[in-house]
Amino acid sequence: MNKVPFLDLSALHSSLEEEFVEVFRGSMKSAQFIGGPLVEQFEREFAHMCGCRYAVGVGSGTDALRFALMACGIRAGDMVITVPNTFIATSEAISQAGAIPVFVDVDEKTSAMSSDRLREYLETHCYIDDHSGTTFNKITHKPVAAIIPVHLYGQMADMDPIMELAKRYKLVVIEDACQAHGAEYFSQKNQSWQRAGSIGAAAAFSFYPGKNLGAFGEAGAVTTNDENVARIISTLRDHGQVSKYIHDMEGYNGRLDALQAGILLVKLGHLARWNEMRRESAKRYGELLEKIKGVEIPYEPIWSRGVYHLYVISVDNRNELQKFLTDKGIGTGLHYPLPLHLQKAYCDHGYKAGSFPVSERLCSRLLSLPMFPGLESGQQELVADAVHEYMSISEEKW
Ligand SMILES: *Cc1c(COP(=O)(O)O)cnc(C)c1O
């Protein structure tokens, strides 16, 4: 058994056992397993948490991204801009919507989409058609239709400049908020803190068990302030049904189970506190690790209140450090070890090593340390001591 597990959900859940069992009993008795009042109540409360008018529960974060793209009018052959250092679901959803993923590199400090690289891509590789006002790629002559910034590790991308570029080039912005339930961004433009999921035309959330708000299985949601987008997603998730066996379009089997909605409702009530615990753990890690030579700790800009889905440090000899920690019983993770543009899945997209140097460097240096609500300061000290020990040994070798 790990001395410090990477993630411990059992401890978190055990104090809520009776409430979870009650959800199960209720579901069994009502026999309403898909959709229904629990799903609707969860949608209302989750939308409220995000500072959004609508939330639509779906089957997963990947479904949420795909439905959001489709509902926002992204069509087959469109190009959609995202980043290479994300989970593959982001680009899979783009392809599943019939569109083509294109990547722009990330910011060195935040690891999220760089608005400078986005601007550069739009200015040098795209043009705006005078007639339609649509943005096209200069080489493929395909429309560039949307941007998906990813709020990676629980910290939001710098949204103001992204939204401004989107406006200038008439692009839809869909937030990948799958790691950022409750994260906040201070918008200079609006002079207010804004929640993840409330800024773009729509946003995708995942409730995969390990996320900050996790179900007991697969689940996801789309948030939006646009009634029309919310309505289309409700139809898409349910085979295009507008009423029983009346299908206005072809859709998908992408609904949220009532049981999962019930579990999520119980957990949603604790999300703010759990996120605060994660922030405190992050602060404590910062104090313990910042003095260690060769360790870079996560950077949190003043405009960000992150929810630390992951706590990711950056070091030179990442693989050796990971092995060292594993041998000491400390769980770690790599998010993500190979950027998307270098994955075999995208080998025919024309990218090569060196295409996105910031992402590539990050991928070879990053290491995710144990992070979950309930992580004890003693456990954090064990982790920090082990990192310190390894860094001193590796320094001596030189
Ligand atoms: C988890 C995740 C997804 C996909 O969510 P699923 O619920 O697993 O489909 C998409 N994007 C990011 C950044 C994620 O972390």
Side-chain angles (χ1 to χ4, degrees):
M1 169 139 173
N2 279 348
K3 271 205 282 192
V4 187
F6 179 63
L7 173 66
D8 184 358
L9 290 175
S10 323
L12 201 65
H13 287 154
S14 64
S15 66
L16 300 171
E17 184 172 331
E18 278 317 308
E19 287 175 71
F20 293 141
V21 170
E22 212 34 63
V23 169
F24 174 78
R25 279 204 196 94
S27 254
M28 195 178 71
K29 278 185 195 145
S30 74
Q32 181 142 45
F33 298 116
I34 291 165
L38 272 183
V39 171
E40 283 162 25
Q41 189 189 343
F42 173 69
E43 290 174 338
R44 273 195 307 276
E45 292 188 19
F46 189 71
H48 183 257
M49 190 283 287
C50 296
C52 238
R53 287 175 64 195
Y54 307 98
V56 185
V58 297
S60 67
T62 312
D63 271 359
L65 280 164
R66 176 177 45 163
F67 296 162
L69 285 162
M70 297 174 81
C72 289
I74 306 318
R75 283 178 301 194
D78 286 353
M79 298 177 84
V80 176
I81 306 168
T82 191
V83 291
N85 69 329
T86 175
F87 182 50
I88 193 169
T90 316
S91 50
E92 278 177 333
I94 295 169
S95 304
Q96 288 167 4
I100 303 154
V102 283
F103 302 116
V104 296
D105 213 345
V106 296
D107 179 79
E108 208 161 350
K109 285 164 114 177
T110 64
S111 308
M113 181 180 278
S114 157
S115 55
D116 289 337
R117 296 290 86 76
L118 176 64
R119 181 180 298 106
E120 184 180 84
Y121 174 79
L122 292 167
E123 283 175 359
T124 59
H125 296 286
C126 304
Y127 64 93
I128 300 177
D129 178 61
D130 288 340
H131 222 69
S132 58
T134 307
T135 298
F136 286 90
N137 179 284
K138 278 182 189 166
I139 293 167
T140 63
H141 297 288
K142 289 181 189 296
V144 179
I147 311 169
I148 306 186
V150 180
H151 302 324
L152 200 70
Y153 309 151
Q155 174 157 285
M156 290 178 68
D158 189 2
M159 292 302 287
D160 275 352
I162 292 172
M163 293 306 289
E164 198 188 307
L165 284 165
K167 197 171 161 199
R168 193 185 314 158
Y169 288 87
K170 284 199 183 159
L171 309 176
V172 171
V173 174
I174 290 163
E175 301 167 63
D176 183 337
C178 287
Q179 300 188 359
H181 320 70
E184 290 181 307
Y185 171 78
F186 188 82
S187 167
Q188 279 293 336
K189 186 165 167 277
N190 301 321
Q191 283 297 303
S192 65
W193 286 95
Q194 292 183 285
R195 283 271 162 99
S198 69
I199 299 180
F205 287 87
S206 164
F207 306 121
Y208 184 80
K211 303 291 163 96
N212 287 32
L213 180 62
F216 284 8
E218 306 279 359
V222 180
T223 56
T224 180
N225 284 313
D226 185 329
E227 189 183 349
N228 199 37
V229 168
R231 208 194 55 243
I232 297 171
I233 291 165
S234 307
T235 313
L236 276 174
R237 71 174 170 184
D238 190 23
H239 300 287
Q241 283 196 114
V242 286
S243 58
K244 198 151 181 77
Y245 302 128
I246 303 302
H247 308 266
D248 279 9
M249 57 175 139
E250 274 191 346
Y252 297 84
N253 178 350
R255 294 160 303 220
L256 176 61
D257 287 349
L259 206 52
Q260 301 300 353
I263 300 287
L264 288 166
L265 266 170
V266 171
K267 292 180 73 174
L268 184 58
H270 301 273
L271 180 66
R273 185 170 56 86
W274 288 339
N275 280 344
E276 198 46 50
M277 288 163 84
R278 287 175 183 268
R279 285 185 60 77
E280 273 163 29
S281 295
K283 190 162 164 260
R284 178 115 189 87
Y285 265 141
E287 289 159 4
L288 293 165
L289 297 168
E290 71 187 345
K291 299 174 290 242
I292 304 174
K293 225 174 115 195
V295 175
E296 278 174 58
I297 61 171
Y299 169 72
E300 187 167 11
I302 47 164
W303 46 256
S304 168
R305 269 194 223 131
V307 292
Y308 291 91
H309 170 57
L310 296 165
Y311 188 88
V312 181
I313 61 168
S314 170
V315 292
D316 275 341
N317 303 331
R318 188 269 315 282
N319 292 343
E320 290 82 21
L321 173 59
Q322 184 176 36
K323 186 173 179 306
F324 186 84
L325 295 178
T326 306
D327 291 345
K328 287 201 172 286
I330 293 167
T332 57
L334 303 179
H335 304 89
Y336 296 89
L338 187 63
L340 294 182
H341 68 286
L342 300 180
Q343 299 278 356
K344 208 171 175 182
Y346 297 114
C347 63
D348 58 356
H349 281 232
Y351 297 114
K352 55 184 189 313
S355 291
F356 303 107
V358 179
S359 293
E360 289 167 32
R361 183 164 186 275
L362 279 169
C363 287
S364 67
R365 295 171 51 84
L366 52 77
L367 184 66
S368 308
L369 300 181
M371 172 55 85
F372 51 88
L375 178 67
E376 288 163 17
S377 51
Q379 293 179 304
Q380 293 192 273
E381 276 158 28
L382 278 178
V383 175
D385 287 347
V387 172
H388 193 174
E389 190 184 342
Y390 171 78
M391 295 308 283
S392 337
I393 298 168
S394 69
E395 202 180 340
E396 272 166 29
K397 281 194 204 152
W398 293 95

